[in-house]
Amino acid sequence: MKSIHKLIIAISIGVGASVTSCQKLNIPPTNIVTPEVIYSSEAGVRSFLATIYRNLPIEDFKYRPDGGEDVNVNGVVYNHPGFNPGNPWMNFYTSASVIGEEVGPFGGMDIGNGFGYWPYGDIRNVNTLIAELPKHVAALTQPTVNALLGEAHFLRAYYYFGLAKRYGGVPLVTVPQDPGAPLSTLQVHRDKEEATWDFIGAELDLGFQMMPESGDAGRANKYAAAALKSRALLYAACVAKYGSVNFVDGQARSLGLVGIPASKAATYFKAAYDAAKLLEGHYSLYNANSDKVQNYADLFLKAGSPENIFIKQYSIANNTAHSWDATMSPRYMTANALSRAYPTLDLVQLWGNLPITNDDGTPKRFNNRAEIMQGLEPRLLATVYFPGATLRGLTFDMQRGIYPSFSGTAAAEVAKQPNSRSYILAGDTKTLYQGKQVIGFTGPWTGGDELTRTGFYVRKYVDYNKPQASVDLYRSEQPWIDMRYGEILLNRAEAAMELGNPSDALTSINQIRTRAGATPYASIDLDKVRKERRMELAFENQYYWDLKRWRIADVVLDRAHFKGLMPYYVFNENKYIFLAETELFNREYTFQKQFYYEGIPGGEIGKNPNLLPNNPNY
């Protein structure tokens, strides 16, 4: 199986329902996929597995677990939510997921309400698989059944991880429920949060024990199970340690449905560390190119990278393509699309303050925009497109406006009211000032969503090899790397620091920094580990969950505003200056403590009152 998408088949009814629905018929049904069909061959099981993989809560280029809506593009129907086909996950979690990384055109959404994610239909499919496989050893062979069972345990753990990090304790349903059973047996109670994380860890142990060391792209192997365990139990460890200090009280907490005893933290940190260590010697950081910028950019585009542990694939032919290239680049560099998310200056300056002012506070003058990139870390330049960078033969000509002349300090100028500043702005890219274009073709401006509001664009995952004419909606096929060895080293380093082993943490972090083209650290602390994680995993949809598990989101996002880098042309000097200003959306972000958990979906409580009490303050 070269791609999981090639094996997706339409299964219109659950396996368990298929068996019971035809028992009273005298003729064989022709429109139901029966266990005999599915389990008569490994290919049949793989087909069923493909549906389970497809629905995993992998927070990828276009993740949204409520399914979204069908979108017709050039006669082809794609299932995708709303207008933004680039990354609706970012839009939804605008209040936290991308904060400090990037901002988008949407805001003010209540992340506490969540998506109503409740994948028990998918879990039922996995439970059915686990129940049925041992019955078909004759057709499949025992080694094949064992390997497939390991894969099923991995998948079940992944679904429960998606639930646990949102809700804490959830019902642990491990057998296919009979829809015809008494309602009292179907309305199960929530398990404690600690029990939920323990179950996830045990499932991943089974996956590691039973799965092979390698397999087809897009499917998990035993090391994917270890990788997911390092991620999941690191989350659990932080809930135990930091959630015992920063929490909202309530009945669900007093019952253990949310919250883990602080005494369990060390156990989970050790389990996360040990799981990460299992990958040592089996995966390595991508280091194929001596050009550090190109090497890091290619990490997210090159097939067969030794860093990739678990990926999700996409295909134009199978109508599963995504739109990352079209929605991360300005229309100027695409066939027909709009950019939808823009890196913040706050993220960029994790690498250090940009040299945009002189010692006296006046803006430093640049002969051209590209000079701003001189001396910056290669990983930063491979993560973010700066003014003066190039893509598809075109230059990012970011320019916010023109100053006929400029005097004074940068801080004093930015502090002025907009109507008292002496700059020239424009409402489109066609407006000229004495023959000079006022606004760059790539922004920044406030007239629409297609140009940056921060002075930067995302570079990570953007396919620079795609010609401009082919950069359109649902035309991108680069895989999403759900788990890679860089993250595993970060997980290991964080767990090591929490366990009092800074030497091991330093070794792991310096592997990452050396590949990044950064100076290795001489010493390490937890703040450095967390900062390195933000830099290395920028735009990989992990920062939101890191803020939550560290229990610092309510501090970081306390009426928070973020900045952009605004390039201006100084006309009488024929020079460029850069001013650090509030990003042009001027969004304010706030995170309430109750949001460390989402509320159990109201519709599910209506079906099953035993899910109460709901999480605190819901």
Side-chain angles (χ1 to χ4, degrees):
M1 181 178 66
K2 298 302 182 184
S3 168
I4 200 73
H5 300 294
K6 295 178 181 178
L7 298 172
I8 293 175
I9 65 170
I11 300 178
S12 60
I13 189 166
V15 175
S18 300
V19 175
T20 59
S21 64
C22 63
Q23 295 303 307
K24 296 181 181 180
L25 297 179
N26 294 321
I27 58 173
T30 59
N31 63 341
I32 295 176
V33 180
T34 65
E36 288 72 22
V37 172
I38 293 175
Y39 298 102
S40 63
S41 68
E42 187 176 354
V45 178
R46 286 178 170 184
S47 299
F48 188 37
L49 272 172
T51 301
I52 299 171
Y53 270 102
R54 181 182 58 190
N55 294 336
L56 282 178
I58 297 173
E59 288 152 16
D60 61 347
F61 299 112
K62 55 182 186 177
Y63 174 66
R64 183 166 174 173
D66 61 4
E69 60 188 27
D70 288 340
V71 178
N72 190 302
V73 180
N74 298 325
V76 178
V77 175
Y78 297 80
N79 182 263
H80 211 286
F83 170 76
N84 180 17
N87 196 336
W89 184 88
M90 288 185 176
N91 293 341
F92 188 88
Y93 286 113
T94 270
S95 296
S97 70
V98 296
I99 295 316
E101 291 189 1
E102 57 186 297
V103 296
F106 306 101
M109 304 181 80
D110 183 359
I111 61 173
N113 287 335
F115 282 110
Y117 183 62
W118 204 248
Y120 279 91
D122 298 304
I123 290 171
R124 175 184 171 78
N125 283 338
V126 183
N127 289 341
T128 299
L129 187 67
I130 291 172
E132 285 288 333
L133 278 169
K135 303 175 186 177
H136 300 272
V137 172
L140 298 171
T141 75
Q142 190 65 57
T144 299
V145 166
N146 290 343
L148 291 169
L149 280 171
E151 202 167 353
H153 286 293
F154 165 85
L155 293 166
R156 189 160 66 178
Y158 205 123
Y159 280 112
Y160 274 108
F161 177 43
L163 286 166
K165 67 184 183 180
R166 289 171 171 83
Y167 307 116
V170 293
L172 296 175
V173 181
T174 60
V175 296
Q177 291 180 305
D178 180 0
L183 191 60
S184 60
T185 66
L186 297 176
Q187 292 180 329
V188 294
H189 290 263
R190 293 172 68 183
D191 285 86
K192 291 184 177 182
E193 179 167 7
E194 181 180 351
T196 302
W197 290 110
D198 288 344
F199 175 75
I200 292 167
E203 287 287 277
L204 292 169
D205 286 341
L206 286 173
F208 183 81
Q209 293 164 16
M210 302 176 79
M211 280 192 287
E213 292 193 1
S214 61
D216 298 321
R219 289 178 67 184
N221 60 29
K222 67 187 305 173
Y223 296 111
L228 184 58
K229 185 178 180 182
S230 79
R231 179 190 289 180
L233 294 195
L234 187 63
Y235 198 107
C238 290
V239 171
K241 180 174 182 177
Y242 302 108
S244 296
V245 177
N246 188 7
F247 61 87
V248 176
D249 216 343
Q251 188 181 5
R253 181 171 180 84
S254 64
L255 293 173
L257 301 178
V258 295
I260 304 173
S263 59
K264 194 68 181 289
T267 300
Y268 286 136
F269 279 127
K270 181 64 163 57
Y273 174 85
D274 289 344
K277 205 169 186 301
L278 288 172
L279 285 90
E280 187 175 26
H282 300 281
Y283 293 86
S284 60
L285 297 178
Y286 182 84
N287 266 312
N289 195 322
S290 59
D291 182 324
K292 294 290 188 179
V293 175
Q294 195 63 53
N295 184 74
Y296 195 79
D298 285 346
L299 156 62
F300 300 94
L301 300 172
K302 295 295 186 182
S305 166
E307 186 160 347
N308 295 351
I309 300 166
F310 184 53
I311 66 173
K312 184 174 181 179
Q313 297 176 296
Y314 309 85
S315 166
I316 293 173
N318 291 329
N319 299 344
T320 60
H322 58 87
S323 303
W324 187 259
D325 296 295
T327 54
M328 292 299 113
S329 302
R331 176 169 287 182
Y332 177 60
M333 295 175 173
T334 69
N336 176 34
L338 302 177
S339 59
R340 307 298 285 172
Y342 319 114
T344 65
L345 181 60
D346 304 76
L347 169 72
V348 169
Q349 294 197 145
L350 287 174
W351 279 263
N353 291 329
L354 295 175
I356 59 175
T357 57
N358 297 309
D359 292 341
D360 60 2
T362 58
K364 184 177 179 180
R365 270 58 171 181
F366 294 85
N367 294 311
N368 57 68
R369 302 173 183 89
E371 286 184 350
I372 191 68
M373 295 184 286
Q374 291 182 4
L376 298 183
E377 182 190 294
R379 175 176 52 180
L380 173 58
L381 296 177
T383 301
V384 174
Y385 276 121
F386 276 70
T390 59
L391 172 64
R392 302 175 192 126
L394 299 171
T395 299
F396 286 94
D397 64 340
M398 281 82 100
Q399 184 172 299
R400 172 72 177 126
I402 292 177
Y403 279 93
S405 62
F406 189 98
S407 61
T409 66
E413 181 67 16
V414 172
K416 294 178 182 177
Q417 293 296 319
N419 58 8
S420 67
R421 294 172 68 170
S422 60
Y423 53 22
I424 308 296
L425 303 180
D428 57 59
T429 59
K430 298 177 183 178
T431 302
L432 304 180
Y433 172 78
Q434 297 190 25
K436 180 74 173 180
Q437 186 173 326
V438 175
I439 301 293
F441 286 119
T442 57
W445 78 328
T446 59
D449 296 331
E450 65 267 27
L451 299 180
T452 179
R453 302 286 186 98
T454 65
F456 302 106
Y457 286 91
V458 174
R459 181 172 183 179
K460 185 175 283 188
Y461 274 116
V462 170
D463 187 354
Y464 59 87
N465 291 311
K466 287 182 75 68
Q468 184 176 355
S470 67
V471 180
D472 206 340
L473 301 180
Y474 305 103
R475 306 299 295 173
S476 293
E477 297 179 295
Q478 59 267 45
W480 177 263
I481 306 171
D482 184 52
M483 289 182 277
R484 61 183 179 91
Y485 193 57
E487 181 204 343
I488 303 310
L489 287 173
L490 291 163
N491 295 348
R492 176 174 171 172
E494 185 177 339
M497 286 302 304
E498 295 282 9
L499 292 168
N501 186 358
S503 175
D504 191 88
L506 182 63
T507 299
S508 296
I509 292 299
N510 278 342
Q511 287 184 59
I512 293 171
R513 290 185 63 79
T514 299
R515 190 268 296 279
T519 302
Y521 286 132
S523 62
I524 197 74
D525 57 36
L526 188 58
D527 286 341
K528 285 181 179 178
V529 171
R530 290 183 175 184
K531 180 180 175 183
E532 197 69 32
R533 184 179 185 90
R534 284 195 64 191
M535 294 188 291
E536 177 69 19
L537 300 181
F539 315 131
E540 295 181 48
N541 295 345
Q542 297 222 36
Y543 183 47
Y544 169 69
W545 301 109
D546 289 340
L547 285 176
K548 291 186 75 172
R549 66 185 177 86
W550 294 331
R551 293 300 195 259
I552 61 173
D554 62 300
V555 177
V556 173
L557 301 177
D558 182 15
R559 303 186 68 180
H561 291 259
F562 297 93
K563 293 184 179 297
L565 183 71
M566 303 302 157
Y568 294 94
Y569 179 70
V570 182
F571 192 86
N572 70 330
E573 299 180 36
N574 189 26
K575 301 285 186 181
Y576 291 90
I577 61 173
F578 295 89
L579 300 179
E581 304 180 29
T582 300
E583 53 87 12
L584 299 182
F585 288 115
N586 195 24
R587 302 276 195 226
E588 181 175 288
Y589 302 92
T590 299
F591 185 100
Q592 300 176 29
K593 285 189 178 185
Q594 74 182 74
F595 292 170
Y596 285 120
Y597 295 99
E598 295 178 15
I600 302 295
E604 301 304 326
I605 292 174
K607 300 173 192 174
N608 178 13
N610 288 331
L611 295 173
L612 293 173
N614 208 335
N615 290 337
N617 284 6
Y618 290 99

